[in-house]
Amino acid sequence: MTDGTTRAREDRAEPEGRDRVPTPPLRPGEYDPADYAACVARGSAAADVSPLLVMAVLHNEAYKPHHPLLERLWHWWKPGASFGVANMHQATFERVREAHDLAGRWEDLRDDPEFAIHAAALHLKDLDRRLPERFSRRYRRDELLALGYNAGERNMRAFARGVPPGPMARSYLRRFRACQPQASRALTGVAGAHDPVGE
């Protein structure tokens, strides 16, 4: 069947010679964000953000299964759920889609990990543009961007001013800090994935 979704996927067709992007496994325990290191390198380069930041966010968002079938079931049970390996909510995606003229739809995030990672990298870049140059010294810039990804731009800017984050944001930040070595290992040897985090 030819429709808008098919055309959008054709617009995002992989160039010849690019490795096929794997579908997240059906069994939750088998999912590893490191499998998408090449996607992270490409998406972060296109968005001009740190690949280590993007990979660390993927590790933080790996708390639920990302197989397309399971995400469809999850969405049936919880209509406001997020989609894709980077767990993006619809309202956030629509802002990114409009700002960057993306061809795909929010629903495509669950079926296309490369597109989901690209959208996440663009969102992090948008957050970076809105983060004040001067901010609380208790955080690195990448940590504030991760908090913005989790808690939204308004909260990110409040944290940058020194407003203490709530329990959920504190937990997200602890996990983000803890997964830095794992995220760094995932990018070792991947072309284009050499930018330091927190620069």
Side-chain angles (χ1 to χ4, degrees):
M1 180 175 66
T2 301
D3 57 13
T5 303
T6 303
R7 286 193 296 273
R9 288 175 181 163
E10 289 172 352
D11 289 343
R12 301 193 308 275
E14 297 174 3
E16 289 187 22
R18 178 177 293 180
D19 293 337
R20 182 178 178 276
V21 177
T23 298
L26 191 59
R27 298 179 63 160
E30 296 176 358
Y31 170 67
D32 185 355
D35 293 339
Y36 301 95
C39 297
V40 168
R42 290 190 291 267
S44 59
D48 191 27
V49 295
S50 165
L52 191 50
L53 168 61
V54 177
M55 179 59 80
V57 166
L58 286 191
H59 275 84
N60 253 22
E61 299 295 342
Y63 62 87
K64 72 179 181 68
H66 291 303
H67 188 279
L69 174 60
L70 296 178
E71 289 213 329
R72 282 175 169 81
L73 293 173
W74 183 260
H75 187 246
W76 174 80
W77 179 68
K78 188 177 181 182
S82 53
F83 273 166
V85 294
N87 276 340
M88 185 171 285
H89 286 280
Q90 186 170 14
T92 301
F93 173 77
E94 292 302 333
R95 289 194 297 271
V96 174
R97 183 187 64 79
E98 184 174 353
H100 298 278
D101 196 27
L102 298 180
R105 304 178 308 161
W106 175 60
E107 291 84 355
D108 297 331
L109 299 180
R110 65 190 174 199
D111 300 305
D112 189 341
E114 178 123 23
F115 182 51
I117 291 167
H118 179 54
L122 290 172
H123 180 42
L124 287 164
K125 184 63 176 182
D126 292 342
L127 290 169
D128 188 49
R129 291 191 182 104
R130 296 178 176 95
L131 184 63
E133 287 301 317
R134 301 181 65 178
F135 48 82
S136 172
R137 295 177 62 184
R138 79 174 63 174
Y139 306 112
R140 299 193 313 257
R141 191 172 189 88
D142 67 301
E143 292 174 344
L144 285 168
L145 294 175
L147 285 170
Y149 193 92
N150 173 249
E153 178 190 340
R154 182 179 298 179
N155 285 323
M156 174 190 73
R157 293 173 66 87
F159 302 151
R161 294 194 304 270
V163 176
M168 292 182 65
R170 288 199 304 271
S171 174
Y172 193 89
L173 181 58
R174 281 195 299 270
R175 289 186 286 116
F176 179 80
R177 288 169 171 167
C179 77
Q180 296 292 306
Q182 190 177 6
S184 181
R185 287 193 300 271
L187 294 169
T188 299
V190 178
H194 57 274
D195 295 340
V197 74
E199 63 180 3

